[in-house]
Amino acid sequence: MRVNFKRSAQTDVNMKKKQRRTLQSTLNTIGILMFIGILIRWWTVPFAVSKDLRIYYNQGFQMTLNERKEFLAFVLCAASVYFSLVNVYFLGKTGRRLVYTVLVLFAVFSLYMMLTLLAVATH
């Protein structure tokens, strides 16, 4: 009785590559939809709900030109970081380590900023 182990091993490797591509494309698609949703906020912010649950347009909530530029810069920077991290993650073991390191640094920086803002707000 002969068993062909090479063929099954190749199939496993091909399936893992296919799953990686599928996960990567899924994360990229989710990112596209997420950032399109954030950009839609540009037009939906001026709408508010009154006490009697009617939707009305509030001119006071409209973003100024400077606020729009800042909002667009934030969204573009956040999108570039997200897509960079997603695509670097799938480059291999080194890419994963780099992504995890960046995420830990983001977490530490966020905690530091939270504590700093808390200290400033309480004084």
Side-chain angles (χ1 to χ4, degrees):
M1 184 169 142
R2 286 187 165 185
V3 178
N4 190 356
F5 289 108
K6 290 182 183 179
R7 186 176 220 185
S8 65
Q10 275 184 335
T11 306
D12 287 343
V13 170
N14 289 339
M15 285 297 280
K16 285 184 181 183
K17 284 183 182 179
K18 198 176 216 179
Q19 286 175 342
R20 284 183 186 166
R21 278 192 223 127
T22 305
L23 181 60
Q24 184 177 8
S25 63
T26 302
L27 289 173
N28 283 327
T29 304
I30 289 170
I32 289 169
L33 294 174
M34 181 175 59
F35 287 109
I36 287 174
I38 292 171
L39 284 174
I40 288 173
R41 182 174 180 249
W42 184 321
W43 292 278
T44 60
V45 164
F47 293 98
V49 179
S50 65
K51 290 181 182 179
D52 56 348
L53 299 178
R54 292 188 183 188
I55 297 175
Y56 67 96
Y57 185 81
N58 188 343
Q59 195 70 5
F61 291 155
Q62 184 69 35
M63 283 193 264
T64 64
L65 182 62
N66 194 30
E67 289 173 337
R68 288 180 185 181
K69 287 179 186 177
E70 291 173 359
F71 180 70
L72 190 59
F74 167 75
V75 171
L76 292 176
C77 288
S80 64
V81 168
Y82 174 82
F83 288 113
S84 297
L85 288 176
V86 165
N87 292 310
V88 166
Y89 180 83
F90 290 99
L91 291 179
K93 202 173 193 177
T94 307
R96 282 189 214 115
R97 285 184 184 163
L98 179 64
V99 169
Y100 290 137
T101 304
V102 169
L103 290 176
V104 167
L105 289 174
F106 277 155
V108 169
F109 180 72
S110 295
L111 288 172
Y112 170 74
M113 288 305 294
M114 180 188 70
L115 294 174
T116 302
L117 289 173
L118 185 63
V120 168
T122 56
H123 282 94

